Amino acid sequence: MLKINKQFVESALLFMCFTGLLFNTLFGAIAALCFLISGVLFCILYENKLLDLLINNKLLLAIPLLAMVSSAWSDIPLTTLRGGIQLLLTTVFAMIIAAAVRFDSFIKIAGFCFFVTMFLCFVSDRYALNGMTGERSLIGIFDSKNFLSMNAALSVLVGFAIYKNKSFQRTINIFGAVLVVLSFLVLLKANSLGSIVTTILVMLLAFLYIYYQRIKLSLFVRGQFNWLIVVSFLILVATLILIGNSNTFDNVMYDLGKDPTLTGRTFIWSRGIESITENPILGLGYQSAFYVGNPLAEEIWEFAHVPSGAGFNFHNMYIDITVEMGLLGGFIFILLLGKFIRLLANNKKLEFGSKEGFAFMVFLYMFLQTFLEAGWFSQFTISHFLICAAWVYLKQTTELKSIKLRWNV
């Protein structure tokens, strides 16, 4: 009987997993197959812990399960069912990998895969022309500027986690810093103001929150501070709403050379809200809005000056999920956000470079993105994979134990 090095096997499978997700657009079915094979093998290695893991994280599985069930009322049931199954597999694989692999190995391999991805994007000459604004933006190895900018922003967070990890050698920390710079340069070339501002805001807010946690205050004083933070946040939201409904916002956007309708998002949102009023409880079904022949989709595609059948969403997570899975899906999503926030509030280990600190930055970025993008609950994407991993990092303190690895020779 020959023992196999567990760490080597996990590293190889994890590399397959990340390359499958990051190069899904470039290699299609081959990349997806790599991700599925690595995920299935992880489940086999940890089959003794898989059921308990699923039960303990059932809220995270609610949306994928609802997505599968929604095929019952979808206009394109087979497409919806296939998408729901793929989403469920992506979620389960992310959970088992985050729960089983040591964070140091996870973040190093993720950093290497992101570095290759960002380098290929940086040297790429693939640009896309925005039909509404005439703006040329880098898309690299991806299909759209928005998808590239989201991956680049997540790459910044991965690089920063590597740079601040105290257990790594100095050379690895430097590699993390290089990844941060490279990823931010890709963000600039993608010309995505929203992702650039959001990434900077995430870093700033993460620093302030972690610093705030370390301040020694009495329970009374900390409680007063918490209320002050909540009130300040509500005032900020109200101010942004007022500015958004005034000429000030339009003038600022014009000065920046940007479209005050947020590249047509306001129209897309209005059509999404109309769809919600027509199908309020259960929605249209998972990924059942944008398909060829659907009048709603054809109208939006024509408005955005993109070909019929192009990949699209409502560029707002709350509208997107409610259109597809109704108020039921929207309610589950709000519950998930609330649970995330509670996990963060109760976690005392938040620091840069730790898995909890990384989870905090990933959640913060994905939460801020909910207002302008719909990056959650997309099968075979690194964004959904990392948000599931962040959930596990906040809920679980120790790695799972696998079955013994042995081969007959």
Side-chain angles (χ1 to χ4, degrees):
M1 301 291 282
L2 176 65
K3 292 184 179 180
I4 304 172
N5 187 286
K6 172 188 172 184
Q7 187 174 359
F8 173 79
V9 172
E10 288 186 346
S11 297
L13 293 178
L14 191 57
F15 176 79
M16 286 178 58
C17 170
F18 280 124
T19 52
L21 292 174
L22 290 170
F23 293 95
N24 190 21
T25 303
L26 196 61
F27 295 112
I30 296 176
L33 183 61
C34 286
F35 173 70
L36 290 172
I37 291 174
S38 61
V40 169
L41 290 177
F42 262 111
C43 289
I44 293 174
L45 289 175
Y46 292 90
E47 54 85 19
N48 55 327
K49 300 292 183 180
L50 183 58
L51 182 59
D52 288 341
L53 184 68
L54 298 181
I55 293 174
N56 292 335
N57 297 280
K58 51 184 175 294
L59 181 57
L60 194 59
L61 299 171
I63 291 295
L65 291 174
L66 179 60
M68 293 172 58
V69 173
S70 70
S71 62
W73 58 84
S74 169
D75 290 337
I76 45 173
L78 292 180
T79 301
T80 298
L81 181 60
R82 181 177 68 249
I85 293 173
Q86 291 172 343
L87 179 63
L88 180 64
L89 291 176
T90 305
T91 305
V92 171
F93 293 166
M95 288 164 53
I96 193 71
I97 289 171
V101 180
R102 291 179 66 249
F103 177 68
D104 289 356
S105 299
F106 181 96
I107 203 68
K108 281 194 293 186
I109 295 174
F112 175 77
C113 295
F114 266 114
F115 182 85
V116 174
T117 305
M118 291 299 104
F119 179 78
L120 292 176
C121 290
F122 184 75
V123 300
S124 172
D125 59 354
R126 292 187 69 226
Y127 285 77
L129 180 67
N130 189 309
M132 296 185 64
T133 64
E135 183 180 67
R136 291 183 75 249
S137 302
L138 179 72
I139 61 173
I141 66 172
F142 300 103
D143 284 338
S144 70
K145 176 190 78 172
N146 292 330
F147 201 45
L148 169 61
S149 60
M150 180 174 289
N151 281 269
L154 292 171
S155 184
V156 170
L157 303 184
V158 170
F160 191 75
I162 295 173
Y163 172 67
K164 296 295 290 184
N165 193 300
K166 298 177 182 178
S167 65
F168 291 155
Q169 296 178 356
R170 188 59 182 166
T171 52
I172 299 178
N173 294 140
I174 294 173
F175 168 76
V178 172
L179 178 58
V180 170
V181 174
L182 176 62
S183 304
F184 201 80
L185 289 175
V186 171
L187 264 182
L188 293 175
K189 290 187 70 174
N191 202 19
S192 176
L193 180 63
S195 286
I196 293 171
V197 172
T198 302
T199 304
I200 295 174
L201 189 59
V202 166
M203 304 301 293
L204 178 62
L205 291 176
F207 173 80
L208 292 175
Y209 184 75
I210 291 175
Y211 177 74
Y212 170 69
Q213 269 203 332
R214 293 178 180 176
I215 299 175
K216 294 183 179 180
L217 299 172
S218 67
L219 291 177
F220 175 77
V221 174
R222 189 173 292 276
Q224 299 302 309
F225 263 102
N226 290 342
W227 276 111
L228 178 62
I229 292 172
V230 171
V231 172
S232 299
F233 175 76
L234 294 176
I235 292 174
L236 176 61
V237 171
T239 302
L240 291 175
I241 292 174
L242 290 175
I243 293 175
N245 291 325
S246 69
N247 293 329
T248 303
F249 178 76
D250 291 1
N251 294 334
V252 171
M253 293 299 287
Y254 283 130
D255 290 339
L256 293 173
K258 296 294 182 179
D259 180 9
T261 67
L262 302 175
T263 322
R265 281 178 172 83
T266 52
F267 171 78
I268 298 170
W269 294 343
S270 67
R271 296 298 290 116
I273 293 172
E274 289 177 17
S275 176
I276 292 172
T277 59
E278 296 169 1
N279 304 274
I281 307 300
L282 299 177
L284 300 175
Y286 181 64
Q287 296 183 340
S288 297
F290 291 97
Y291 66 89
V292 176
N294 184 10
L296 171 64
E298 297 291 352
E299 181 184 4
I300 293 176
W301 282 325
E302 182 179 0
F303 171 79
H305 303 289
V306 297
S308 179
F312 219 88
N313 58 59
F314 287 95
H315 292 285
N316 179 289
M317 197 59 237
Y318 308 98
I319 294 175
D320 197 82
I321 196 170
T322 310
V323 168
E324 293 187 350
M325 287 180 274
L327 294 174
L328 176 59
F331 177 71
I332 295 174
F333 181 54
I334 296 299
L335 283 180
L336 190 66
L337 290 178
K339 180 63 175 179
F340 250 119
I341 294 172
R342 184 177 178 183
L343 288 172
L344 287 166
N346 293 335
N347 196 296
K348 306 303 180 184
K349 297 180 180 179
L350 293 181
E351 62 179 31
F352 291 122
S354 69
K355 65 180 182 181
E356 294 84 6
F358 175 69
F360 173 53
M361 290 192 295
V362 168
F363 169 75
L364 191 55
Y365 174 78
M366 294 299 294
F367 171 71
L368 293 176
Q369 281 282 300
T370 58
F371 302 102
L372 294 176
E373 297 295 343
W376 297 56
F377 310 118
S378 297
Q379 71 271 35
F380 297 163
T381 59
I382 196 67
S383 56
H384 182 70
F385 183 89
L386 288 182
I387 198 65
C388 293
W391 171 276
V392 173
Y393 285 150
L394 293 172
K395 287 199 70 177
Q396 183 169 305
T397 56
T398 58
E399 289 79 20
L400 297 178
K401 301 297 182 182
S402 69
I403 59 176
K404 292 183 178 180
L405 296 174
R406 296 178 183 272
W407 280 349
N408 289 317
V409 294

